[in-house]
Amino acid sequence: MHYRANVPFMPKGLTIDQCWFCGGRIGVRLARHGGISEIAYYGRQPVARPRFFHGDGTSAWSKLFRLCVVVDGTPYHPTFARTELFPCGYRSHASAGGVAFRHELVLLDDCLVQRVVVERNPRRATLSLRLVWHGHPAQVGLPHRSWQGFAGDDRSGVAVAVAREDIPPAVQAKARQGNPAALTQCAPGGARDVDRAETFIGVGADRGVAFQDLHRGFKHHADSAPFTDQAAFIVAFAWERSALDARLAGLRASVHRDCEARFAAALDGGQPEVAVGRPALESFMAQLPAVVDALRVADVPGAMRASAGHYWVWGWDSMVYSKGLMLAGRGAFVAEMLAFYRRLAQPGVGIPHCLTADFTPLMAMASTAQTLYTVMLYNHWCATRDQAVLREFFPFARAIVERALAAEVRGSGLVDGPSLFPDHPELVGHDGHDLSVFNNSIFYQALRCLRDLARVLGEDSLAGTLDQAAERCRRGFIKVFFDQEAGYFIDSASSRDFAPRRHHPGYAILWVTPYARDLVADELPRIAGYMARELAAPRGVFHYPLRDQAAFLSDGNQGSAGYPVIEPFYWNVMSLAGRGRELERWAANMEWFWDANTIPEGLTYDAVNAGDLTADCPGGKQPFAGKAWYEAFFTAYAGLDVDIDGLVLRPTPVDAPVAIRNLVLAGRRIDLRISSRGGRKLAVTLNGRRLPPGGRIPFSALRAGTNRIIAVRGA
């Protein structure tokens, strides 16, 4: 992969096997042959049924709305040259029949647009577009789904198909039963998904269209009226026919403006600019905020899909690593999430983990894991100093923490509940009476965060109570979870008798605030040594050591995998321990994935050299993984963090220079340059003034306008 102005760029042809694009409710997979190979959409159908059209990633025989440019009556598939990849689609260039043009695929929340803009037409050839797609060979058939095939109307210029879901009550009841042994992947209180839904799919254009039905719905052609400068075909989705018609009618007038605006926002969304001398890493840092933007559900503020492909809205996927969103300039979205998850919370259950397509809570998280909400409010306050948001959501954040605290086990400081991660903790010893290292790492950080926010609001008595609870939690965490013999943490202990379960997970601590450091400070060298020795995977971090085969092979999937969402723990420990080679390995791993335009959910290691092959879902985009990498760049690689007092800089073992421009915190713009002369001390200047040792810069010291910070390691 090449990069031009931080945009992934392919000079000639498509050089990756596939790529997922995202646009709110819709996801599209582009194959190397240049055609679409899958379309997913979330409307009002059951949440496990997003796939509507499926083709072949290798053969171009299957046509999923394949575009042709028709020059003087001769159709051409656009070829690919100087292709730019964005989270929301691509822009490329081609020529055919003596005409040069740009062609684009753009996702706009609930529709995909294929657009052509003429660049040169010296012969003034007659131009039109043709869209070709298979009917029943490409439609995804599922039990209890029926299709009404495409019917085109030349007068309206629209062809419409309908997919209907009608799931019998007995099937729904069986699905609700799920796995009776599951501790986390289960629905609370008899929650159920929808059983009946309609999804309308419409094909239209920015001009008149004539349709052909070839061989009783086997294949369809749509031919546009002629054009001279630009034209577009649209495939739109809706759960009501009237909404589909209105959407296509509106896009007929606005589609070109909408596409240009979507690309412009992806190019300049107000995110920081990073320069480290590594083009792939710089591109990832520039593009990740646009990935998040593309996954936001435009008609439901605060909702974000959990992948470009086949995941809908999940609670912890959205809330985790909210600091990364704040550093990316997405504070308004974090505020929307604070409102969204408060609105969805249910009495006695709290914040949902999984949601149906109509936002009915389908699964819940353990109470300790829900305190990620409090961390999210803390990160929003630290980066914005927005009193209105803090006062609005503090009572709910407090209630979430106090609900968890009420389940403290016999004064241990630790709280009962099955682990939020991985999906099947019952396979590694959890039995419903569990002290989870993962959950309690979140809980400890949330206690510290809520204490700090209480002090901001002048609630000193509450702050004192929380401070005591946090100290109990820290001591209990180390006492119960730290295995002195191994020099590392165990996965869980029984909440009945504190009996340890001696699996040693790579996900022991979810590193979401600076307070995570408190949990490793006493044994940092031993912890770093164990992790580097037992948990370093070829392309990331193992969930369990290879020698722990009982855990490694526990579910045939996550046990033997490495997920980037857990990695900030590893990389921050390595940074604090001065292991610079490990941080270089992180950068190289991230670049390997991003060179394939991939932000993976994970990589499964059925063999230790799996990292020499491909990602599990090439071209996929998983925001909880992307946010983890994004945040780890700042905290572990660059040594930059944000806490209740302001900006914090610390030396890292990375020798490469780092430059960060246009970082906006508390309404102040910051340009930062970090260089190294070797050594571990850090000298910092702010706007030309040398600061005292310690690396702390309170926001009150920042001026209006741009602040220039220079940090030199070893000075």
Side-chain angles (χ1 to χ4, degrees), residues 230-244:
Q230 59 185 8
F233 267 116
I234 305 155
V235 182
F237 291 73
W239 56 87
E240 293 177 348
R241 176 61 194 265
S242 59
L244 180 75

Side-chain angles (χ1 to χ4, degrees), residues 128-280:
S128 62
L129 298 183
R130 172 175 291 173
L131 203 63
V132 181
W133 71 99
H134 277 103
H136 53 80
Q139 295 164 355
V140 173
L142 296 171
H144 316 299
R145 172 183 283 178
S146 61
W147 279 90
Q148 179 180 316
F150 280 96
D153 180 356
D154 292 357
R155 288 177 300 174
S156 66
V158 174
V160 177
V162 187
R164 294 187 173 90
E165 322 289 342
D166 190 358
I167 302 182
V171 175
Q172 276 282 28
K174 185 176 180 180
R176 287 200 301 277
Q177 291 174 1
N179 176 7
L183 295 175
T184 60
Q185 299 291 300
C186 48
R192 57 175 292 177
D193 205 343
V194 299
D195 50 18
R196 289 179 175 82
E198 291 184 319
T199 302
F200 295 86
I201 304 107
V203 176
D206 64 339
R207 63 200 60 241
V209 181
F211 296 98
Q212 295 183 71
D213 179 344
L214 307 179
H215 193 50
R216 301 188 302 277
F218 177 78
K219 187 181 283 186
H220 301 271
H221 281 192
D223 289 289
S224 79
F227 70 97
T228 57
D229 54 351
Q230 59 185 8
F233 267 116
I234 305 155
V235 182
F237 291 73
W239 56 87
E240 293 177 348
R241 176 61 194 265
S242 59
L244 180 75
D245 292 339
R247 179 65 164 148
L248 287 169
L251 284 169
R252 188 163 185 164
S254 70
V255 64
H256 297 288
R257 294 192 305 273
D258 294 348
C259 290
E260 294 288 355
R262 187 60 57 99
F263 281 131
L267 284 166
D268 184 13
Q271 61 265 38
E273 301 171 27
V274 168
V276 291
R278 307 184 77 131

Side-chain angles (χ1 to χ4, degrees), residues 51-135:
R51 298 169 66 248
F52 286 93
F53 298 98
H54 184 77
D56 193 315
T58 303
S59 168
W61 180 84
S62 296
K63 302 295 189 298
L64 270 63
F65 308 104
R66 189 73 188 257
L67 186 68
C68 301
V69 177
V70 183
V71 182
D72 288 334
T74 301
Y76 300 86
H77 286 313
T79 55
F80 288 78
R82 307 194 312 281
T83 303
E84 297 173 295
L85 297 179
F86 299 88
C88 62
Y90 74 75
R91 293 194 303 200
S92 191
H93 299 265
S95 60
V99 179
F101 55 91
R102 185 176 81 239
H103 61 101
E104 303 169 351
L105 171 68
V106 193
L107 303 190
L108 300 174
D109 304 319
D110 54 2
C111 65
L112 66 94
V113 176
Q114 295 184 80
R115 178 172 178 252
V116 167
V117 178
V118 176
E119 295 176 322
R120 293 188 307 280
N121 184 7
R123 298 188 298 104
R124 296 186 179 180
T126 300
L127 305 177
S128 62
L129 298 183
R130 172 175 291 173
L131 203 63
V132 181
W133 71 99
H134 277 103

Side-chain angles (χ1 to χ4, degrees), residues 638-653:
L640 169 67
D641 215 332
V642 183
D643 67 10
I644 200 72
D645 296 317
L647 208 60
V648 184
L649 289 166
R650 63 167 182 81
T652 75

